[in-house]
Amino acid sequence: MRYAIFFAYDGTAYHGWQTQPDAITVQQRMEEALSLLLRTKISVVGAGRTDTGVHARQMACHFDTDTPLDCHQFARRLNAILPPDIAIHHIDEVSPQWHARFSATSRTYHYYITTRKDPFNRPYTLRLYFDLDVEMMNKAADLLLTHTDFGCFCKSHSDNKTNICHVTHARWHRQDNDTLCFVVTANRFLRNMVRAIVGTLIEVGKHRMTLEQFQAVLDSGRRTQAGESVPAHALFLEKVEYQ
């Protein structure tokens, strides 16, 4: 039987989602908890990878087991033994063909920036000390919708088989006078892609890069032509959608 887990996590204490030999990850904690409850070694498959320090409001993974589960009760038991920075939303029994990664139709990320000093939002927003031209950044963001090869925003030496992604939404939204949220949705994302996009759009918002230059970055396919990646702590995997 195959089960899907939908959950959230604060990525501050973790070296991303995917298990690593010498670092604590969210996948490791999830597999440890499942193995303890089911009394056998359990492996999970996630909807994708998140980098060190990145958070998720709705992530998904799946696992297989021969043990029939009461999904509601099992979710409560799993929540009880997971660390407080990982929270199960719900668990569903799915078909054997359902796959957390390959069955997903889209992923949406949010990135938060602010010009206001706020001790409570500090761990989850990037503070800037200058205003940005939001209208210009949105014009540049529109260009993402007409492009498919995002090699210019991919971390060097990544093991991607292809740099092709289909971005269906990319927009800066003003939450209040001081805070902006960048919302981007695509069928898939490359490693470090969102943080590199945000860093480059900020260059446009500072009037240090024109729309023509932003288009040239996209066309170049070279990471060295784009802006610097912004820090991970303000990035959230907002949701993963399935048919």
Side-chain angles (χ1 to χ4, degrees), residues 7 19 26 48 53 55 59 98 125 154 156 162 176 180 222 233:
F7 59 101
T19 297
V26 179
H55 319 290
M59 175 63 151
W98 192 92
T125 57
C154 181
S156 301
T162 175
D176 55 44
L180 292 169
R222 297 171 58 190
H233 72 275

Side-chain angles (χ1 to χ4, degrees), residues 1 10 33 36 46 51 56 61 64 70-71 75-76 102 105 107 136 147 149 181 206 216 221-222 226-227 232:
M1 288 165 283
D10 182 328
L36 179 62
D51 292 337
C61 68
D64 296 322
D70 178 327
C71 291
R76 292 181 62 182
F102 298 124
T105 57
R107 288 104 170 143
M136 212 58 172
H147 203 78
D149 187 330
C181 176
K206 293 164 64 177
R222 297 171 58 190

Side-chain angles (χ1 to χ4, degrees), residues 111-115 125-134 136-138 140-141 144 153 172 180-182 194-210 214 226-231 234:
Y111 195 91
Y112 297 89
I113 62 175
T114 184
T115 55
T125 57
L126 173 65
R127 188 186 176 199
L128 300 181
Y129 298 87
F130 44 81
D131 292 323
L132 297 169
D133 187 335
V134 179
M136 212 58 172
M137 290 195 298
N138 276 330
L144 300 173
F153 296 130
W172 288 94
L180 292 169
C181 176
F182 179 61
V194 178
R195 292 163 58 198
I197 288 175
V198 172
T200 310
L201 289 174
I202 287 175
E203 291 298 296
V204 174
K206 293 164 64 177
H207 294 160
R208 293 177 60 178
M209 180 182 290
T210 65
F214 186 84
E228 294 184 4
S229 294
V230 288

Side-chain angles (χ1 to χ4, degrees), residues 7-241:
F7 59 101
Y9 58 85
D10 182 328
T12 303
Y14 300 103
H15 288 258
W17 157 258
Q18 191 169 12
T19 297
Q20 300 180 32
D22 301 312
I24 302 299
T25 67
V26 179
Q27 183 180 16
Q28 176 186 339
R29 289 290 184 245
M30 185 70 75
E31 290 178 343
E32 290 172 347
L34 288 168
S35 299
L36 179 62
L37 287 177
L38 295 172
R39 300 184 179 182
T40 187
K41 183 174 177 56
I42 298 293
S43 297
V44 302
V45 177
R49 294 181 292 186
T50 55
D51 292 337
T52 299
V54 175
H55 319 290
R57 283 201 174 92
Q58 187 241 288
M59 175 63 151
C61 68
H62 76 257
F63 69 97
D64 296 322
T65 179
D66 295 328
T67 304
L69 301 177
D70 178 327
C71 291
H72 179 71
Q73 183 63 26
F74 191 75
R76 292 181 62 182
R77 294 175 63 199
L78 188 58
N79 259 330
I81 64 172
L82 281 168
D85 50 11
I86 302 175
I88 306 300
H89 294 323
H90 58 92
I91 298 177
D92 299 321
E93 184 174 357
V94 293
S95 73
Q97 292 75 37
W98 192 92
H99 196 284
R101 179 182 176 189
F102 298 124
S103 297
T105 57
S106 69
R107 288 104 170 143
T108 297
Y109 280 89
H110 287 189
Y111 195 91
Y112 297 89
I113 62 175
T114 184
T115 55
R116 180 178 68 249
K117 185 176 183 181
D118 186 334
F120 303 107
N121 287 337
R122 178 182 53 83
Y124 306 109
T125 57
L126 173 65
R127 188 186 176 199
L128 300 181
Y129 298 87
F130 44 81
D131 292 323
L132 297 169
D133 187 335
V134 179
E135 181 180 358
M136 212 58 172
M137 290 195 298
N138 276 330
K139 288 182 178 179
D142 285 340
L143 298 176
L144 300 173
L145 307 183
T146 62
H147 203 78
T148 55
D149 187 330
F150 289 93
C152 60
F153 296 130
C154 181
K155 188 170 184 178
S156 301
H157 310 299
S158 294
D159 57 353
N160 302 305
K161 294 181 180 179
T162 175
N163 293 329
I164 301 300
C165 305
H166 298 283
V167 177
T168 55
H169 181 88
R171 199 75 182 167
W172 288 94
H173 300 273
R174 187 173 292 281
Q175 295 196 309
D176 55 44
N177 289 335
D178 307 302
T179 305
L180 292 169
C181 176
F182 179 61
V183 180
V184 59
T185 300
N187 65 321
R188 65 189 290 265
F189 288 91
L190 308 176
R191 187 179 180 187
N192 202 57
M193 178 173 161
V194 178
R195 292 163 58 198
I197 288 175
V198 172
T200 310
L201 289 174
I202 287 175
E203 291 298 296
V204 174
K206 293 164 64 177
H207 294 160
R208 293 177 60 178
M209 180 182 290
T210 65
L211 293 178
E212 291 74 20
Q213 289 171 326
F214 186 84
Q215 182 66 61
V217 169
L218 290 171
D219 295 337
S220 74
R222 297 171 58 190
R223 179 66 187 90
T224 54
Q225 299 301 304
E228 294 184 4
S229 294
V230 288
H233 72 275
L235 180 61
F236 289 76
L237 173 57
E238 190 69 18
K239 61 182 175 180
V240 183
E241 293 190 287

